[in-house]
Amino acid sequence: MSRLQDKVCIITGAASGIGRGTAELFAEHGAALVLVDRNEPGLNEVCALLSGQGAPVVGVCGDVSQAATIQRAVATALERFGRIDVVFNNAGIMPHGDLMAVSEETWDEVMAVNVKAMFLMCQAVIPHMLKQGRGSIINTSSVMATLTEPGYDAYTTSKAAIIGLTKSIAVTYAEQNVRCNCICPGWVDTPLNRALAEEMGGVDKLYPIIKKQQPSGRMASTREIGYVVLFLASDEASAVTGSVVYADGGCSASI
């Protein structure tokens, strides 16, 4: 079943992790893809993989916090495929540091990549979605928007802001059939978390923490998160807008 057949989808942060897993799933379901990331080797790799499998895909390399990158991505989608049906705003960064130690530059970078980039993308694509009479935007927030731990002040603040932006867009454009939702993943098996595990001495050192925080006792796969995004992107979710969907293995339900 092709749940996104002939739909044109922009995915940011597509070179690895949730973005790449979702891109692969979208391609399987018939989407035409514009993939955006600043990691050029990783971006080229996923584009080559999906193109080799017959998917219509094009990559745009750049920093999503810069308006020029967003404009190139939107222009590429329109020139190559003629429309924009779905946007998955997924790119993000997660620096660690106590509030008193976080520099102004780091704070600004987190807000720019995690929040401003989504604002810029939404501002750029919504006019085209309004002309089409429909569109779906999905933003990646985090369970850490509402449940956090020391050392992630900038990250938590940015992810909470994404929920507010999502709800505001959803309410503003609900009557025009432009939907906006966000996902809140918990622990996911991404290169970022694998690197964290290596810093701690291996995955075995990380799993006790995951088991304590996430009742499922394991990290979700990027494909599992991708299926949540796939639903929100598809016409099956036509009544869903302004929602915050937790895909966190029960983390947000636990005490």
Side-chain angles (χ1 to χ4, degrees), residues 52-82:
Q53 295 172 350
V57 57
V58 60
V60 175
C61 186
D63 182 349
V64 292
S65 70
Q66 301 299 313
T69 299
I70 300 299
Q71 291 163 3
R72 280 196 294 118
V74 171
T76 298
L78 295 173
E79 291 167 5
R80 184 75 173 267
F81 303 118

Side-chain angles (χ1 to χ4, degrees), residues 17-60:
I18 292 172
R20 176 167 177 160
T22 301
E24 292 173 357
L25 194 58
F26 275 24
E28 292 173 20
H29 282 263
L33 299 170
V34 176
L35 305 183
V36 188
D37 206 292
R38 63 186 181 184
N39 174 4
E40 188 169 12
L43 182 63
N44 290 341
E45 180 183 311
V46 68
C47 285
L49 173 69
L50 298 181
S51 179
Q53 295 172 350
V57 57
V58 60
V60 175

